Every structure is written in C-alpha cells, then in structure tokens.
Amino acid sequence: MKRNLVRIAIWGFGAMGSGMARMIMKKKGFDIVGVSDKYKGFEGKSIFEILKLENPFSHDVKIENNIERILVEEKPDLVLLATDSFTKNAYEKIKFVVEHGVNIISTAEEMAFPAAKEPELTQKMDALAKKHKVTILGTGVNPGMMMDLLAICISGVMEDVKDMEIARVNSLSPFGPTVMEEQGVGLTAKDFLDKMSKNEISGHVGFIESTYMIAKAFGLNVDEFRQSMSPIITDVDRKSPYGFAKAGDVAGVDMRSFATLSNGNKINMIHPQQIEPQLAGVSTGDYIKIQGNPPINLANVPEVEGGIGTIAICVNMIPHVINSKPGLKTMIDLPVPRAIMGDVRNLIDEE
Ligand code: NAD
C-alpha cells in the first residue's frame, strides 16, 4: 500500500520558495498543503495564479501570513523555510515549526553548519528537534554543496588529503534587488569601501560554514579562519535585469577565505561574484583542487546556477530529512543527495 502524499508547507514565497513550489508541482507523490509569506501583495492569492501554472492538486493553495494555522490544521510532514540568511534570524521560525512537531529544511546560509558561528543556538535546536522527534537541516547550493559537500564526497577516493583550493566563479545576473544591494552592485568604489567598513555589504555568507563542515567531516578542527572582500570594478558598462554598473563602478564582490585545520592542512576558498561576467571575459565555473593521493582536479563549467541549485537541493533532501533520526543535521549526516525522479513516496522509509 502506498503511503499518503508527502505534505509540504512553504514559508517564504520569494525566488527560492516559489521555485520550490514549481519544482514540487512537477514531481509525483507531493502535496503543497500551505504557503506562508508576510508580503502584503501576496495575501489571499492563489499560488497557481502567481506562478501562472495549472493546479495539479485537488485543492487550492492561498498564501497566508499565518503559518500557525498551516502547522496546526494542515499538519505538514515538512516545512521548507526560505526567508533568511542568518541563523539568529531563522532561529525563532525554526523553533516554532519544530515545537509543532514538523520537520524543517532551511535555506539560511549559516544553517548549513550553524555550529561555526552559533554553537549555543545549534545545541538548543538539536535538543528541541530531539524532544519533538523531528529533523532540522540547512542546505543550499553554496554553502551546502558546491564549496563543501562536493569536496568532502570526492575525498572519499583519497588515501591522504593535503591542502585544498575551492573556487566558485559565478554570475549575479539572475538575482534580484536584495542581492544587488547586499553585494554592492552599482556603487562607486568609494561608496563600496565606506559601506564595507560599516558592515553594510554582506558579500558571500558561507565560507566559515563550509570550512567547518569540511573540518568536521575529516575529524579535524579549524585552528585559524579569516576572510577578505574586495570590490570588482568594471571596465565596461554592465546591465543585468536588476543591476547596473557603469564603467569604473562596482560589478560585484571578490571574496576569499583562508583556513588552517588542526593537522596543519590549508583550505583556501575563492568566490568572485559579479553581474554579466562575460563582458569582462570571465567564464563561470566550480573548481575543486585537492592535493594528496590521488590529487583531485574537478571542474564544472559553467557554474551550477545558484537559484536552480538551491531550489533542487532543498526539494531533493526532503525524503532524507523525513527518514532521518531526530535532531539538527547537516549535509554530512544524511545520505548522499540525489535527484527525485520517480514517486517521492518510494523514497520514504516504511513507518
Ligand atoms: P527573497 O527575498 O526572494 O524571498 C524571501 C521571501 O520571504 C519574501 O517573499 C519575504 O516576503 C518572505 N519573508 C521574509 N521574512 C518572512 C517572515 N518572517 N514571514 C513570512 N515571510 C517572510 O529571497 P530568496 O532568494 O528566496 O532567498 C531566501 C533566503 O535563502 C535568502 O536569505 C538567501 O540569501 C538564502 N539563500 C541561500 C542559498 C544557499 O546556497 N545556501 C541560496 C539561495 C538563497
């Protein structure tokens, strides 16, 4: 006998949350039982009207501000939370979902390895999840896969691992106004440096989480971690759907991180992100170089697109999270991620 449909609620219907709804609607065995977003323009609207897609379910799904009704009345198996980047901002939402006895996957970058920056909240979340017998996971394309889990997986064929260099060269063009602002696209170099000194440019969030995840996977600690950020100044005018940088201004952010693990190994990360990189002759890609035996030199060109990658990994991890033992998990605690191609119910363990 087939188990019931896998009941999903989505909290945050922006670029990621709405993309997850689209993906779920194309798969077999899922039901979207509720969507919550605080944006006034969404209130009471059907998600199918917003997405301009035919409703594949036997009921409508209207966006509501009140997640509590969805948790209590619709009893989802899992909530996809796509509202935040930082653990401290996502924490109350995660707690609320867990206290209703519901599993949760968060896109918050810091939740990919929350122990790196928020060890106390990490312990609290783990204890809460165990008490309510549910699982919490943070994931995404990066952190969550391209600059951490992929390197960890490939090390499985290595007898010895030495220094690592992990690079992701990506385009910011597909992203919206929030990302343009967070990355300083369109600012003059002077304004960028002013804002950077006031911590008003976030750049990439995730190097420290990726580094700690790799160290933990190897059974090591992080002895030293530092990161740097600098503006990418364009020589030519560049325009993307939500960004514009004129020649001489900022087209993106070049981020680097440097870490030493407790055995002396180095992990260096390189992550330049900019709008329209091709206009500066820059090709995008994901690169992992690991010294050791055997040496590894992986390249994926062009980059895995950040939006699709994040949407897919969150949806694809749903069965693993539902099947998991309770607690706060990271990508190194759960089975290998893989695309859901058949009926998702075939991937859920018997009760
Ligand atoms: P977005 O701005 O397009 O959407 C966020 C949505 O959440 C908005 O519709 C907003 O109204 C809603 N929201 C925010 N707070 C809410 C609340 N308290 N209650 C209800 N709704 C609320 O952002 P996005 O592109 O969808 O990304 C979501 C988050 O995921 C961002 O913080 C982003 O940085 C992160 N992210 C992580 C990765 C990764 O690789 N780990 C990749 C992409 C995005």
Side-chain angles (χ1 to χ4, degrees), residues 26 34 67 77 92 98 102 180 241 251-252 268 293 298 321 323 329:
K26 290 188 224 144
I67 188 78
D77 293 304
E92 288 299 331
V98 167
V102 179
M180 296 302 126
N268 289 347
N293 186 27
L298 276 185
V321 168
N323 291 340
K329 306 293 175 189

Side-chain angles (χ1 to χ4, degrees), residues 146-305:
M146 303 313 294
M147 297 187 82
D148 39 47
L149 189 66
L150 201 53
I152 293 165
C153 282
I154 197 72
S155 76
V157 293
M158 298 180 72
E159 185 181 72
D160 188 26
V161 173
K162 299 211 174 340
D163 296 347
M164 286 184 162
E165 185 185 277
I166 306 177
R168 177 163 165 81
V169 182
N170 69 314
S171 170
L172 289 176
S173 293
F175 297 102
T178 315
V179 172
M180 296 302 126
E181 200 182 317
E182 282 172 0
Q183 311 293 327
V185 172
L187 295 177
T188 62
K190 180 179 175 304
D191 286 350
F192 183 99
L193 295 173
D194 278 356
K195 279 180 174 270
M196 198 175 92
S197 67
K198 293 184 213 148
N199 283 331
E200 287 172 8
I201 307 275
S202 58
H204 170 63
V205 177
F207 278 157
I208 190 165
E209 288 73 21
S210 294
T211 303
Y212 272 67
M213 189 194 294
I214 295 170
K216 169 93 185 295
F218 290 163
L220 298 169
N221 296 316
V222 179
D223 273 3
E224 189 211 352
F225 175 86
R226 68 197 155 83
Q227 65 178 29
S228 68
M229 182 195 290
S230 54
I232 298 174
I233 306 294
T234 181
D235 289 336
V236 290
D237 287 359
R238 299 196 208 176
K239 185 164 173 21
S240 66
Y242 295 96
F244 175 69
K246 72 173 170 28
D249 288 348
V250 176
V253 183
D254 187 358
M255 296 211 44
R256 311 273 162 138
S257 74
F258 314 89
T260 309
L261 305 187
S262 45
N263 66 348
N265 277 13
K266 307 278 184 211
I267 303 180
N268 289 347
M269 297 194 181
I270 301 168
H271 192 19
Q273 325 188 65
Q274 57 201 295
I275 57 166
E276 303 300 292
Q278 75 285 354
L279 295 181
V282 174
S283 321
T284 65
D286 295 286
Y287 310 92
I288 296 175
K289 285 188 193 158
I290 313 180
Q291 293 172 28
N293 186 27
I296 297 292
N297 196 350
L298 276 185
N300 173 65
V301 177
E303 54 158 331
V304 169
E305 201 262 279

Side-chain angles (χ1 to χ4, degrees), residues 11-12 14-16 37-38 82-85 93 107 109 141-143 310:
W11 194 356
M16 297 303 104
D37 197 294
K38 66 178 184 183
T83 52
D84 293 282
S85 291
K93 299 182 186 79
T107 61
E109 286 89 337
V141 77
N142 180 39
T310 299

